Amino acid sequence: MKTNHAAAAANRASASSQIYKIALTGLFAALSYVVFTFLQVKITLPGGDATSIHLGNAVCVLGALVLGGFYGGLGGAIGMTIGDLFDPVYVAYAPKTFILKLCIGLIAGFVAHKIGKINESNDKNHVFRFALAAAICGLLFNVIFDPLVGYYYKLLIMGKPAAELVLAWNVASTSINAVTSTIASVIIYMPLRSALKRSGLFEQLK
């Protein structure tokens, strides 16, 4: 009988944790949309294209550090994809955005939680090192693949001259975004983690 009660309690706790993660995924989606849409510096490029400096990727990494790779990456990907869909310049890139931003979260989450096991550690230096490593790995992936995928997309749609013209700008902006997003995500995560622990909500994220 006690075993049944214990199992039921465990199931309720698991369901509560799942609901909490889904709710926070929505919150991170809204945050990434706002950060990407309203706080970006857009750079107009020849041919009607554009690139931008923004901290939307920081939300993907932050979400992965807090919620794990799938939920965190999903929140960031949904928010930035919605941002693309509402912008005539970026609307065609929405599928690319969703896939790449989800991958940022999956990679960052894997490094932070599967390798570094940051939710199981009370060592702040350990947590900081793996949070930083997770951000670097996730955003390094984006630095490589965002311009690369964008180049081949433009090559197929717009032709070689236009693709080559925009590539250098995309590499530059993506690199700047990676550095700023790495710094921002780790700086925000450390005090946020402490706040979640004090509130008792941290345990629901495990």
Side-chain angles (χ1 to χ4, degrees):
M1 196 69 176
K2 288 183 178 179
T3 303
N4 290 339
H5 284 310
N11 288 336
R12 285 195 297 271
S14 176
S16 175
S17 175
Q18 200 79 353
I19 292 170
Y20 183 55
K21 286 184 177 181
I22 292 171
L24 283 181
T25 300
L27 179 63
F28 275 104
L31 181 61
S32 67
Y33 169 75
V34 170
V35 169
F36 174 69
T37 302
F38 299 106
L39 301 180
Q40 67 169 289
V41 177
K42 185 177 287 186
I43 302 169
T44 302
L45 301 177
D49 206 342
T51 188
S52 62
I53 307 299
H54 62 85
L55 288 173
N57 295 335
V59 181
C60 293
V61 174
L62 183 61
L65 295 175
V66 173
L67 297 174
F70 176 73
Y71 287 105
L74 185 63
I78 290 172
M80 294 182 68
T81 299
I82 292 172
D84 277 359
L85 291 172
F86 281 108
D87 190 324
V89 177
Y90 294 142
V91 65
Y93 303 126
K96 173 179 80 79
T97 294
F98 183 83
I99 293 169
L100 291 176
K101 304 319 175 187
L102 177 60
C103 286
I104 291 175
L106 291 173
I107 293 169
F110 179 81
V111 173
H113 296 284
K114 298 299 183 181
I115 299 177
K117 301 186 183 302
I118 60 173
N119 279 1
E120 300 172 21
S121 177
N122 293 317
D123 183 343
K124 288 186 176 180
N125 289 331
H126 173 88
V127 172
F128 175 81
R129 286 196 302 272
F130 275 96
L132 181 61
I136 291 172
C137 290
L139 292 167
L140 181 59
F141 163 86
N142 195 62
V143 166
I144 296 169
F145 283 93
D146 194 298
L148 190 62
V149 173
Y151 171 77
Y152 282 107
Y153 174 84
K154 293 182 183 73
L155 189 64
L156 292 172
I157 303 299
M158 302 166 63
K160 187 174 180 180
E164 291 180 344
L165 181 65
V166 174
L167 179 61
W169 283 97
N170 284 342
V171 170
S173 63
T174 305
S175 299
I176 293 170
N177 290 338
V179 173
T180 55
S181 292
T182 296
I183 295 169
S185 59
V186 176
I187 286 177
I188 294 171
Y189 173 69
M190 295 305 292
L192 178 60
R193 173 189 169 93
S194 298
L196 289 171
K197 281 196 165 188
R198 288 194 300 270
S199 69
L201 297 175
F202 184 78
E203 291 302 316
Q204 296 188 50
L205 298 173
K206 292 186 177 180

